[in-house]
Amino acid sequence: MATSLQFLNPTLFKSLAPSNKTSSSLSPSPLFRLNSTSTAFNFRPLTSSSSSSSAAIITRAAASSSGSGESLTRETFHGLCFVLKDNIDTDQIIPAEYTTLIPSVPEDREKLGSFALCGLPEFYNDRFVVPGEMKSKYSVIIGGDNFGCGSSREHAPVCLGAAGAKAVVAESYARIFFRNSVATGEIYPLESEVRICDECKTGDVVTVEHKEDGSSLLINHTTRKEYKLKPLGDAGPVIDEGGIFAYSRKAGMIPAASSA
């Protein structure tokens, strides 16, 4: 589901002529300026909490910025995968009762992570987050068709990121979940070209590797199979920077966040 930034959330953007003033080397293309009065998608805590230990081994790789010829740093993830099937909806990802938690509050964000995927049906024998724990040992989620369907709650990608997930690899996504994933910068919503969820099992050791041409590769070290993933397009650099607000600030589209 390679996408243009104009599809992330049109209500947050207004079209403007190109600006010659940018505060960084990031290209502000597509030429949209964020409405800085909106607080939507501004979910990361303003105060940085101590980095928690993650099951993922993260390395950094250069990825070309879409259409700019410039290079951005994109992460490559290695760890255990958690496998799901079709139509995983937002109630299964994070039940509505937990959406009263505020993701920008560090304590609430941590609690959100502990409830990630707690609404799954009982026939999923493995739990994404072990009861009593705050983080998951699975760094990559593999899904089937229509991942993230249901409501438009932004808490869905936020809770997955808070639990320690780095990427979701699915056959297809509900559009709103894909957009929320990009706008919050919490996880990489990657699309597979084949039905990977039928060929992988929970606990398999995998690597999600980003290529310089913008494409990605999922390597299952347990089965010794590789799968080509579809490019993220213009959405990739937004996630690289940590979401639409961080991307827009670095590109000079909106003022830098106050340090106060």
PDB file of all heavy atoms in Angstrom, residues 180-209:
ATOM      1  N   ASN A 180      -3.095   5.680  10.207  1.00  0.00           N
ATOM      2  CA  ASN A 180      -2.746   5.971  11.594  1.00  0.00           C
ATOM      3  C   ASN A 180      -1.345   5.488  11.938  1.00  0.00           C
ATOM      4  O   ASN A 180      -0.638   6.115  12.730  1.00  0.00           O
ATOM      5  CB  ASN A 180      -3.763   5.341  12.541  1.00  0.00           C
ATOM      6  CG  ASN A 180      -5.082   6.089  12.576  1.00  0.00           C
ATOM      7  OD1 ASN A 180      -5.156   7.251  12.186  1.00  0.00           O
ATOM      8  ND2 ASN A 180      -6.135   5.429  13.033  1.00  0.00           N
ATOM      9  N   SER A 181      -0.935   4.363  11.373  1.00  0.00           N
ATOM     10  CA  SER A 181       0.415   3.844  11.610  1.00  0.00           C
ATOM     11  C   SER A 181       1.459   4.816  11.090  1.00  0.00           C
ATOM     12  O   SER A 181       2.471   5.088  11.744  1.00  0.00           O
ATOM     13  CB  SER A 181       0.588   2.481  10.939  1.00  0.00           C
ATOM     14  OG  SER A 181      -0.297   1.523  11.473  1.00  0.00           O
ATOM     15  N   VAL A 182       1.220   5.344   9.914  1.00  0.00           N
ATOM     16  CA  VAL A 182       2.164   6.294   9.317  1.00  0.00           C
ATOM     17  C   VAL A 182       2.153   7.610  10.084  1.00  0.00           C
ATOM     18  O   VAL A 182       3.205   8.160  10.434  1.00  0.00           O
ATOM     19  CB  VAL A 182       1.823   6.529   7.834  1.00  0.00           C
ATOM     20  CG1 VAL A 182       2.753   7.593   7.227  1.00  0.00           C
ATOM     21  CG2 VAL A 182       1.926   5.230   7.043  1.00  0.00           C
ATOM     22  N   ALA A 183       0.962   8.124  10.363  1.00  0.00           N
ATOM     23  CA  ALA A 183       0.854   9.433  11.005  1.00  0.00           C
ATOM     24  C   ALA A 183       1.442   9.442  12.411  1.00  0.00           C
ATOM     25  O   ALA A 183       2.029  10.433  12.839  1.00  0.00           O
ATOM     26  CB  ALA A 183      -0.602   9.876  11.044  1.00  0.00           C
ATOM     27  N   THR A 184       1.282   8.354  13.149  1.00  0.00           N
ATOM     28  CA  THR A 184       1.858   8.282  14.497  1.00  0.00           C
ATOM     29  C   THR A 184       3.327   7.882  14.478  1.00  0.00           C
ATOM     30  O   THR A 184       4.055   8.143  15.425  1.00  0.00           O
ATOM     31  CB  THR A 184       1.093   7.264  15.371  1.00  0.00           C
ATOM     32  OG1 THR A 184       1.174   5.966  14.770  1.00  0.00           O
ATOM     33  CG2 THR A 184      -0.368   7.667  15.538  1.00  0.00           C
ATOM     34  N   GLY A 185       3.761   7.241  13.393  1.00  0.00           N
ATOM     35  CA  GLY A 185       5.150   6.792  13.299  1.00  0.00           C
ATOM     36  C   GLY A 185       5.477   5.658  14.240  1.00  0.00           C
ATOM     37  O   GLY A 185       6.644   5.396  14.530  1.00  0.00           O
ATOM     38  N   GLU A 186       4.462   4.951  14.709  1.00  0.00           N
ATOM     39  CA  GLU A 186       4.688   3.917  15.719  1.00  0.00           C
ATOM     40  C   GLU A 186       5.270   2.631  15.142  1.00  0.00           C
ATOM     41  O   GLU A 186       6.141   2.014  15.751  1.00  0.00           O
ATOM     42  CB  GLU A 186       3.372   3.600  16.429  1.00  0.00           C
ATOM     43  CG  GLU A 186       2.873   4.701  17.342  1.00  0.00           C
ATOM     44  CD  GLU A 186       3.697   4.839  18.615  1.00  0.00           C
ATOM     45  OE1 GLU A 186       4.491   3.923  18.906  1.00  0.00           O
ATOM     46  OE2 GLU A 186       3.537   5.851  19.293  1.00  0.00           O
ATOM     47  N   ILE A 187       4.768   2.194  13.997  1.00  0.00           N
ATOM     48  CA  ILE A 187       5.203   0.935  13.399  1.00  0.00           C
ATOM     49  C   ILE A 187       5.233   1.093  11.885  1.00  0.00           C
ATOM     50  O   ILE A 187       4.586   1.970  11.317  1.00  0.00           O
ATOM     51  CB  ILE A 187       4.269  -0.243  13.768  1.00  0.00           C
ATOM     52  CG1 ILE A 187       2.817   0.113  13.422  1.00  0.00           C
ATOM     53  CG2 ILE A 187       4.406  -0.638  15.218  1.00  0.00           C
ATOM     54  CD1 ILE A 187       1.864  -1.046  13.589  1.00  0.00           C
ATOM     55  N   TYR A 188       5.996   0.207  11.243  1.00  0.00           N
ATOM     56  CA  TYR A 188       6.010   0.166   9.781  1.00  0.00           C
ATOM     57  C   TYR A 188       4.926  -0.804   9.307  1.00  0.00           C
ATOM     58  O   TYR A 188       5.014  -2.004   9.570  1.00  0.00           O
ATOM     59  CB  TYR A 188       7.375  -0.303   9.277  1.00  0.00           C
ATOM     60  CG  TYR A 188       8.471   0.717   9.442  1.00  0.00           C
ATOM     61  CD1 TYR A 188       9.212   0.784  10.618  1.00  0.00           C
ATOM     62  CD2 TYR A 188       8.761   1.624   8.429  1.00  0.00           C
ATOM     63  CE1 TYR A 188      10.216   1.726  10.781  1.00  0.00           C
ATOM     64  CE2 TYR A 188       9.765   2.569   8.579  1.00  0.00           C
ATOM     65  CZ  TYR A 188      10.491   2.623   9.753  1.00  0.00           C
ATOM     66  OH  TYR A 188      11.476   3.548   9.916  1.00  0.00           O
ATOM     67  N   PRO A 189       3.887  -0.317   8.594  1.00  0.00           N
ATOM     68  CA  PRO A 189       2.855  -1.210   8.070  1.00  0.00           C
ATOM     69  C   PRO A 189       3.246  -1.702   6.670  1.00  0.00           C
ATOM     70  O   PRO A 189       2.951  -1.065   5.666  1.00  0.00           O
ATOM     71  CB  PRO A 189       1.612  -0.306   8.029  1.00  0.00           C
ATOM     72  CG  PRO A 189       2.174   1.067   7.765  1.00  0.00           C
ATOM     73  CD  PRO A 189       3.558   1.096   8.362  1.00  0.00           C
ATOM     74  N   LEU A 190       3.899  -2.823   6.608  1.00  0.00           N
ATOM     75  CA  LEU A 190       4.437  -3.335   5.348  1.00  0.00           C
ATOM     76  C   LEU A 190       3.494  -4.353   4.729  1.00  0.00           C
ATOM     77  O   LEU A 190       2.886  -5.158   5.437  1.00  0.00           O
ATOM     78  CB  LEU A 190       5.804  -3.974   5.598  1.00  0.00           C
ATOM     79  CG  LEU A 190       6.856  -3.016   6.172  1.00  0.00           C
ATOM     80  CD1 LEU A 190       8.054  -3.799   6.710  1.00  0.00           C
ATOM     81  CD2 LEU A 190       7.295  -2.008   5.126  1.00  0.00           C
ATOM     82  N   GLU A 191       3.392  -4.315   3.412  1.00  0.00           N
ATOM     83  CA  GLU A 191       2.514  -5.232   2.691  1.00  0.00           C
ATOM     84  C   GLU A 191       3.317  -6.307   1.993  1.00  0.00           C
ATOM     85  O   GLU A 191       4.315  -6.024   1.325  1.00  0.00           O
ATOM     86  CB  GLU A 191       1.690  -4.469   1.650  1.00  0.00           C
ATOM     87  CG  GLU A 191       0.278  -4.173   2.087  1.00  0.00           C
ATOM     88  CD  GLU A 191      -0.540  -3.625   0.936  1.00  0.00           C
ATOM     89  OE1 GLU A 191      -0.057  -2.731   0.235  1.00  0.00           O
ATOM     90  OE2 GLU A 191      -1.677  -4.096   0.754  1.00  0.00           O
ATOM     91  N   SER A 192       2.859  -7.536   2.118  1.00  0.00           N
ATOM     92  CA  SER A 192       3.521  -8.658   1.463  1.00  0.00           C
ATOM     93  C   SER A 192       2.911  -8.892   0.082  1.00  0.00           C
ATOM     94  O   SER A 192       1.762  -8.543  -0.174  1.00  0.00           O
ATOM     95  CB  SER A 192       3.385  -9.926   2.311  1.00  0.00           C
ATOM     96  OG  SER A 192       2.010 -10.210   2.550  1.00  0.00           O
ATOM     97  N   GLU A 193       3.686  -9.501  -0.789  1.00  0.00           N
ATOM     98  CA  GLU A 193       3.197  -9.817  -2.125  1.00  0.00           C
ATOM     99  C   GLU A 193       2.522 -11.184  -2.168  1.00  0.00           C
ATOM    100  O   GLU A 193       1.803 -11.483  -3.114  1.00  0.00           O
ATOM    101  CB  GLU A 193       4.343  -9.751  -3.128  1.00  0.00           C
ATOM    102  CG  GLU A 193       4.926  -8.341  -3.296  1.00  0.00           C
ATOM    103  CD  GLU A 193       5.912  -8.247  -4.436  1.00  0.00           C
ATOM    104  OE1 GLU A 193       6.365  -9.315  -4.917  1.00  0.00           O
ATOM    105  OE2 GLU A 193       6.213  -7.115  -4.853  1.00  0.00           O
ATOM    106  N   VAL A 194       2.767 -11.999  -1.151  1.00  0.00           N
ATOM    107  CA  VAL A 194       2.133 -13.313  -1.043  1.00  0.00           C
ATOM    108  C   VAL A 194       1.587 -13.452   0.375  1.00  0.00           C
ATOM    109  O   VAL A 194       1.810 -12.605   1.234  1.00  0.00           O
ATOM    110  CB  VAL A 194       3.121 -14.461  -1.345  1.00  0.00           C
ATOM    111  CG1 VAL A 194       3.620 -14.379  -2.780  1.00  0.00           C
ATOM    112  CG2 VAL A 194       4.300 -14.452  -0.375  1.00  0.00           C
ATOM    113  N   ARG A 195       0.874 -14.535   0.620  1.00  0.00           N
ATOM    114  CA  ARG A 195       0.238 -14.750   1.919  1.00  0.00           C
ATOM    115  C   ARG A 195       1.236 -15.369   2.902  1.00  0.00           C
ATOM    116  O   ARG A 195       1.236 -16.589   3.146  1.00  0.00           O
ATOM    117  CB  ARG A 195      -1.006 -15.619   1.734  1.00  0.00           C
ATOM    118  CG  ARG A 195      -1.904 -15.679   2.937  1.00  0.00           C
ATOM    119  CD  ARG A 195      -3.223 -16.362   2.597  1.00  0.00           C
ATOM    120  NE  ARG A 195      -3.981 -16.656   3.792  1.00  0.00           N
ATOM    121  CZ  ARG A 195      -4.708 -15.770   4.463  1.00  0.00           C
ATOM    122  NH1 ARG A 195      -4.771 -14.512   4.043  1.00  0.00           N
ATOM    123  NH2 ARG A 195      -5.372 -16.124   5.554  1.00  0.00           N
ATOM    124  N   ILE A 196       2.040 -14.525   3.511  1.00  0.00           N
ATOM    125  CA  ILE A 196       3.104 -14.982   4.403  1.00  0.00           C
ATOM    126  C   ILE A 196       2.547 -15.624   5.669  1.00  0.00           C
ATOM    127  O   ILE A 196       3.164 -16.543   6.235  1.00  0.00           O
ATOM    128  CB  ILE A 196       4.042 -13.811   4.753  1.00  0.00           C
ATOM    129  CG1 ILE A 196       4.681 -13.238   3.483  1.00  0.00           C
ATOM    130  CG2 ILE A 196       5.125 -14.259   5.730  1.00  0.00           C
ATOM    131  CD1 ILE A 196       5.577 -12.053   3.738  1.00  0.00           C
ATOM    132  N   CYS A 197       1.379 -15.174   6.122  1.00  0.00           N
ATOM    133  CA  CYS A 197       0.846 -15.678   7.397  1.00  0.00           C
ATOM    134  C   CYS A 197       0.549 -17.170   7.359  1.00  0.00           C
ATOM    135  O   CYS A 197       0.417 -17.803   8.421  1.00  0.00           O
ATOM    136  CB  CYS A 197      -0.403 -14.901   7.802  1.00  0.00           C
ATOM    137  SG  CYS A 197      -1.818 -15.123   6.706  1.00  0.00           S
ATOM    138  N   ASP A 198       0.439 -17.747   6.173  1.00  0.00           N
ATOM    139  CA  ASP A 198       0.212 -19.189   6.065  1.00  0.00           C
ATOM    140  C   ASP A 198       1.523 -19.976   6.030  1.00  0.00           C
ATOM    141  O   ASP A 198       1.504 -21.212   6.090  1.00  0.00           O
ATOM    142  CB  ASP A 198      -0.594 -19.508   4.796  1.00  0.00           C
ATOM    143  CG  ASP A 198      -2.051 -19.068   4.914  1.00  0.00           C
ATOM    144  OD1 ASP A 198      -2.508 -18.862   6.051  1.00  0.00           O
ATOM    145  OD2 ASP A 198      -2.714 -18.924   3.858  1.00  0.00           O
ATOM    146  N   GLU A 199       2.643 -19.273   5.936  1.00  0.00           N
ATOM    147  CA  GLU A 199       3.936 -19.939   5.816  1.00  0.00           C
ATOM    148  C   GLU A 199       4.852 -19.687   7.001  1.00  0.00           C
ATOM    149  O   GLU A 199       5.951 -20.229   7.059  1.00  0.00           O
ATOM    150  CB  GLU A 199       4.628 -19.500   4.520  1.00  0.00           C
ATOM    151  CG  GLU A 199       3.809 -19.819   3.268  1.00  0.00           C
ATOM    152  CD  GLU A 199       4.569 -19.527   1.982  1.00  0.00           C
ATOM    153  OE1 GLU A 199       5.811 -19.411   2.035  1.00  0.00           O
ATOM    154  OE2 GLU A 199       3.919 -19.412   0.923  1.00  0.00           O
ATOM    155  N   CYS A 200       4.414 -18.857   7.932  1.00  0.00           N
ATOM    156  CA  CYS A 200       5.205 -18.566   9.132  1.00  0.00           C
ATOM    157  C   CYS A 200       4.426 -18.976  10.370  1.00  0.00           C
ATOM    158  O   CYS A 200       3.199 -19.055  10.354  1.00  0.00           O
ATOM    159  CB  CYS A 200       5.536 -17.071   9.210  1.00  0.00           C
ATOM    160  SG  CYS A 200       6.567 -16.451   7.864  1.00  0.00           S
ATOM    161  N   LYS A 201       5.141 -19.238  11.437  1.00  0.00           N
ATOM    162  CA  LYS A 201       4.528 -19.597  12.708  1.00  0.00           C
ATOM    163  C   LYS A 201       5.022 -18.662  13.798  1.00  0.00           C
ATOM    164  O   LYS A 201       6.150 -18.163  13.740  1.00  0.00           O
ATOM    165  CB  LYS A 201       4.865 -21.051  13.081  1.00  0.00           C
ATOM    166  CG  LYS A 201       4.270 -22.095  12.138  1.00  0.00           C
ATOM    167  CD  LYS A 201       4.626 -23.492  12.596  1.00  0.00           C
ATOM    168  CE  LYS A 201       4.031 -24.556  11.673  1.00  0.00           C
ATOM    169  NZ  LYS A 201       4.389 -25.933  12.110  1.00  0.00           N
ATOM    170  N   THR A 202       4.170 -18.435  14.791  1.00  0.00           N
ATOM    171  CA  THR A 202       4.567 -17.619  15.929  1.00  0.00           C
ATOM    172  C   THR A 202       5.829 -18.193  16.570  1.00  0.00           C
ATOM    173  O   THR A 202       5.902 -19.387  16.848  1.00  0.00           O
ATOM    174  CB  THR A 202       3.435 -17.553  16.972  1.00  0.00           C
ATOM    175  OG1 THR A 202       2.333 -16.842  16.408  1.00  0.00           O
ATOM    176  CG2 THR A 202       3.886 -16.859  18.240  1.00  0.00           C
ATOM    177  N   GLY A 203       6.806 -17.336  16.779  1.00  0.00           N
ATOM    178  CA  GLY A 203       8.078 -17.767  17.354  1.00  0.00           C
ATOM    179  C   GLY A 203       9.174 -17.952  16.339  1.00  0.00           C
ATOM    180  O   GLY A 203      10.346 -18.123  16.723  1.00  0.00           O
ATOM    181  N   ASP A 204       8.842 -17.925  15.034  1.00  0.00           N
ATOM    182  CA  ASP A 204       9.885 -17.990  14.012  1.00  0.00           C
ATOM    183  C   ASP A 204      10.798 -16.769  14.132  1.00  0.00           C
ATOM    184  O   ASP A 204      10.349 -15.674  14.494  1.00  0.00           O
ATOM    185  CB  ASP A 204       9.278 -18.013  12.604  1.00  0.00           C
ATOM    186  CG  ASP A 204       8.690 -19.367  12.238  1.00  0.00           C
ATOM    187  OD1 ASP A 204       8.796 -20.309  13.050  1.00  0.00           O
ATOM    188  OD2 ASP A 204       8.103 -19.472  11.136  1.00  0.00           O
ATOM    189  N   VAL A 205      12.062 -16.967  13.839  1.00  0.00           N
ATOM    190  CA  VAL A 205      13.029 -15.866  13.878  1.00  0.00           C
ATOM    191  C   VAL A 205      13.062 -15.206  12.504  1.00  0.00           C
ATOM    192  O   VAL A 205      13.310 -15.873  11.490  1.00  0.00           O
ATOM    193  CB  VAL A 205      14.430 -16.376  14.259  1.00  0.00           C
ATOM    194  CG1 VAL A 205      15.427 -15.224  14.280  1.00  0.00           C
ATOM    195  CG2 VAL A 205      14.396 -17.068  15.618  1.00  0.00           C
ATOM    196  N   VAL A 206      12.787 -13.903  12.467  1.00  0.00           N
ATOM    197  CA  VAL A 206      12.692 -13.201  11.196  1.00  0.00           C
ATOM    198  C   VAL A 206      13.519 -11.921  11.213  1.00  0.00           C
ATOM    199  O   VAL A 206      13.858 -11.392  12.277  1.00  0.00           O
ATOM    200  CB  VAL A 206      11.230 -12.857  10.843  1.00  0.00           C
ATOM    201  CG1 VAL A 206      10.377 -14.121  10.740  1.00  0.00           C
ATOM    202  CG2 VAL A 206      10.632 -11.884  11.853  1.00  0.00           C
ATOM    203  N   THR A 207      13.800 -11.441  10.021  1.00  0.00           N
ATOM    204  CA  THR A 207      14.430 -10.139   9.831  1.00  0.00           C
ATOM    205  C   THR A 207      13.624  -9.367   8.805  1.00  0.00           C
ATOM    206  O   THR A 207      13.256  -9.912   7.762  1.00  0.00           O
ATOM    207  CB  THR A 207      15.882 -10.282   9.327  1.00  0.00           C
ATOM    208  OG1 THR A 207      16.674 -10.936  10.318  1.00  0.00           O
ATOM    209  CG2 THR A 207      16.498  -8.911   9.029  1.00  0.00           C
ATOM    210  N   VAL A 208      13.332  -8.131   9.116  1.00  0.00           N
ATOM    211  CA  VAL A 208      12.753  -7.206   8.133  1.00  0.00           C
ATOM    212  C   VAL A 208      13.872  -6.282   7.705  1.00  0.00           C
ATOM    213  O   VAL A 208      14.389  -5.498   8.497  1.00  0.00           O
ATOM    214  CB  VAL A 208      11.572  -6.410   8.715  1.00  0.00           C
ATOM    215  CG1 VAL A 208      11.083  -5.387   7.696  1.00  0.00           C
ATOM    216  CG2 VAL A 208      10.443  -7.342   9.115  1.00  0.00           C
ATOM    217  N   GLU A 209      14.234  -6.390   6.455  1.00  0.00           N
ATOM    218  CA  GLU A 209      15.403  -5.685   5.923  1.00  0.00           C
ATOM    219  C   GLU A 209      14.948  -4.655   4.899  1.00  0.00           C
ATOM    220  O   GLU A 209      14.227  -4.976   3.953  1.00  0.00           O
ATOM    221  CB  GLU A 209      16.344  -6.706   5.279  1.00  0.00           C
ATOM    222  CG  GLU A 209      17.666  -6.165   4.794  1.00  0.00           C
ATOM    223  CD  GLU A 209      18.544  -7.282   4.252  1.00  0.00           C
ATOM    224  OE1 GLU A 209      19.089  -8.051   5.068  1.00  0.00           O
ATOM    225  OE2 GLU A 209      18.645  -7.403   3.025  1.00  0.00           O
TER     226      GLU A 209
END
